[in-house]
Amino acid sequence: HNMKKKIFLLIVGIILLTGCSNSNKFYLDKKYYNQGDFISATSKTIKDLEDQKESYIVYTYNYFCTFPTPCEDIFKNVFKKYKLDVYSLTYDEMKKTFISDTVKFAPSVVIINNGKIITYLDAESDADYEIYQYETKFDNWLNNYIYLT
């Protein structure tokens, strides 16, 4: 009786694990698989991208960083590793875009698919803290949403 219960729980566990895999992963627009550079952007750049329903990443920042390890370095290293070009946008410019309807704090990395925000890092969230501080965590976070190569 106990063995049947264990097998049942194992099967349920496997179903739950496979059912929760992220099948919504997507590719950024092809032009962003390039050098791994930050592309300086303005609110107009973002408005144009939104109108064109592009799939891209935005790094929005303040001129100061409260994290022990500068998160910009963490992000840059991972973007370089995968040669992903990313828009960089000051917080003041970001506030003039649709992104500010969702993202309230900087720094943040915002993943956008077909002109819509899929996810972002929240600088005020304890849950996101390690993603800002460790390349492997940031790498894994990105890899949950987008194809990196």
Side-chain angles (χ1 to χ4, degrees):
H1 180 70
N2 210 4
M3 189 64 175
K4 280 185 179 174
K5 190 174 179 183
K6 283 182 179 172
I7 290 172
F8 174 76
L9 289 173
L10 180 68
I11 291 169
V12 168
I14 290 169
I15 291 169
L16 285 174
L17 284 173
T18 53
C20 295
S21 70
N22 191 343
S23 59
N24 296 330
K25 262 172 97 161
F26 63 94
Y27 283 99
L28 301 175
D29 289 358
K30 194 178 264 179
K31 66 183 175 185
Y32 300 115
Y33 296 91
N34 187 23
Q35 296 293 317
D37 294 330
F38 278 148
I39 306 163
S40 193
T42 63
S43 55
K44 183 183 181 333
T45 314
I46 302 304
K47 176 77 180 108
D48 292 345
L49 293 169
E50 182 188 11
D51 292 346
Q52 294 156 18
K53 305 266 183 272
E54 289 208 16
S55 298
Y56 56 99
I57 297 174
V58 172
Y59 164 59
T60 183
Y61 61 92
N62 289 319
Y63 291 103
F64 55 89
C65 181
T66 58
F67 292 99
T69 303
C71 51
E72 184 171 322
D73 297 346
I74 303 283
F75 301 154
K76 258 188 185 150
N77 290 342
V78 173
F79 292 140
K80 275 279 180 227
K81 176 179 168 184
Y82 295 108
K83 297 184 175 342
L84 293 175
D85 288 357
V86 173
Y87 289 102
S88 69
L89 188 67
T90 65
Y91 181 71
D92 289 340
E93 282 293 301
M94 187 273 288
K95 285 195 295 191
K96 302 177 201 169
T97 71
F98 79 99
I99 295 170
S100 69
D101 296 342
T102 305
V103 179
K104 301 303 178 196
F105 304 103
S108 183
V109 172
V110 186
I111 300 177
I112 298 167
N113 188 19
N114 297 325
K116 302 231 179 308
I117 294 174
I118 299 304
T119 192
Y120 65 96
L121 292 177
D122 182 350
E124 296 289 297
S125 161
D126 290 342
D128 287 353
Y129 179 82
E130 289 192 339
I131 300 170
Y132 280 95
Q133 291 296 277
Y134 301 101
E135 284 182 32
T136 53
K137 302 264 187 197
F138 181 62
D139 193 319
N140 291 340
W141 178 78
L142 272 181
N143 193 35
N144 278 329
Y145 300 98
I146 62 169
Y147 294 105
L148 296 172
T149 52

